[in-house]
Amino acid sequence: MTLTAQTNDFSALTASRRSTRAFTDQEIPAEVLDAILADATTAPSWSNTRAFRVALATGERVQRLRERYGRLFDEEIAAHARKAEDPTVEIPVPDGDYPVRKRYPDELRPAQIEVAKLLYGIYGIYGVERGDIEGRNRVNRRNVTAFDAPVIGFVFVHEDMLPWSAMDAGLMLQTLFLSAKSRGIDSCPVGILATWRAPVDEEFEVPEGYTFITGFALGYADPDAPINAMQAPRPAIQLLEGK
């Protein structure tokens, strides 16, 4: 294969990877998952420390986690509804290691708003309008259940190696996602899962000093789901001007 052909193949692969938000229930074979993880080891790392850990949930474990996260989400929504009528009601405090719900910096808000409009525009097919709080909650609940993916991953980074451990985890995840796509398997980072840590601690032995930074979903995209047709813009890298 010529260098040009290889370059074209890689560009096509990277362009084909999109965040999938509706999966089929088809399981990923264990040997395929192993091959994807092997490819992920080729990602670079700060001093080769690889100061991150990954937990993968499949089968009955993924179902337990999906149900647990769904309950936490439902409990919080119900508490907010009660508080609207009774200000003394206490809202459950998430136990995540990082504050997931933060306002975006003003500079970055336009991009966040743009992609939200694209998403809810498609979800509008299901009758979700801007002012439909219940509908929006129903859509957001799909995030915490990882869009019904057959595999849910959880990424932990060493707190004493931040920010480098987070950088390494990101490099690893992109390599993992591209490896998955090369095998016909789709993916989606699911940061909202880091809102709560208890469900993962109940299922996995997480080493001391590692903090929960993000989740992700792996599986086969549902070809009939309109949401999977959504394509977020991919603006050019913003290069800084020299002084």
Side-chain angles (χ1 to χ4, degrees):
M1 182 181 292
T2 66
L3 179 59
T4 298
Q6 291 175 340
T7 300
N8 290 341
D9 286 348
F10 180 75
S11 295
L13 173 64
T14 58
S16 69
R17 201 220 72 80
R18 296 275 180 177
S19 291
T20 294
R21 293 177 173 84
F23 293 87
T24 70
D25 59 3
Q26 180 180 352
E27 298 290 337
I28 302 174
E31 62 273 17
V32 175
L33 272 178
D34 289 343
I36 292 170
L37 290 172
D39 283 346
T41 66
T42 66
S45 169
W46 185 277
S47 295
N48 206 34
T49 52
R50 310 197 177 259
F52 55 82
R53 297 293 182 269
V54 178
L56 286 183
T58 60
E60 292 183 0
R61 176 170 280 129
V62 84
Q63 293 303 325
R64 288 196 300 269
L65 282 161
R66 207 187 313 280
E67 291 171 5
R68 182 82 168 90
Y69 271 103
R71 285 199 302 273
L72 286 169
F73 181 86
D74 293 342
E75 288 168 4
E76 186 172 356
I77 294 302
H80 278 288
R82 292 196 301 273
K83 191 175 183 66
E85 299 180 358
D86 180 0
T88 65
V89 171
E90 294 187 2
I91 305 298
V93 178
D95 66 346
D97 295 317
Y98 301 101
V100 174
R101 298 161 182 161
K102 295 175 64 177
R103 178 181 170 83
Y104 289 80
D106 290 343
E107 173 194 0
L108 306 178
R109 281 270 293 167
Q112 179 258 327
I113 292 171
E114 180 182 21
V115 79
K117 287 180 177 179
L118 287 171
L119 281 170
Y120 283 101
I122 294 176
Y123 279 126
I125 296 172
Y126 306 109
V128 179
E129 304 297 336
R130 181 178 177 82
D132 182 0
I133 302 300
E134 290 186 7
R136 292 171 72 88
N137 287 338
R138 186 171 65 251
V139 167
N140 288 330
R141 193 182 193 278
R142 289 190 50 73
N143 287 272
V144 302
T145 59
F147 312 108
D148 298 326
V151 176
I152 304 179
F154 306 88
V155 182
F156 294 81
V157 295
H158 201 298
E159 59 185 347
D160 290 339
M161 277 291 289
L162 288 168
W164 322 122
S165 53
M167 177 187 73
D168 286 358
L171 291 166
M172 177 277 298
L173 273 179
Q174 176 68 342
T175 307
L176 186 151
F177 290 163
L178 290 177
S179 174
K181 189 61 182 178
S182 75
R183 292 171 168 81
I185 295 168
D186 293 284
S187 59
C188 187
V190 191
I192 195 174
L193 293 177
T195 305
W196 303 274
R197 175 160 176 165
V200 193
D201 284 333
E202 292 167 5
E203 294 286 345
F204 297 97
E205 295 288 342
V206 182
E208 185 177 351
Y210 281 83
T211 54
F212 183 21
I213 195 168
T214 190
F216 63 91
L218 288 179
Y220 297 94
D222 181 351
D224 299 321
I227 193 59
N228 285 339
M230 197 281 281
Q231 297 191 9
R234 289 176 169 173
I237 301 296
Q238 296 188 37
L239 300 178
L240 299 179
E241 296 290 340
K243 291 185 177 179

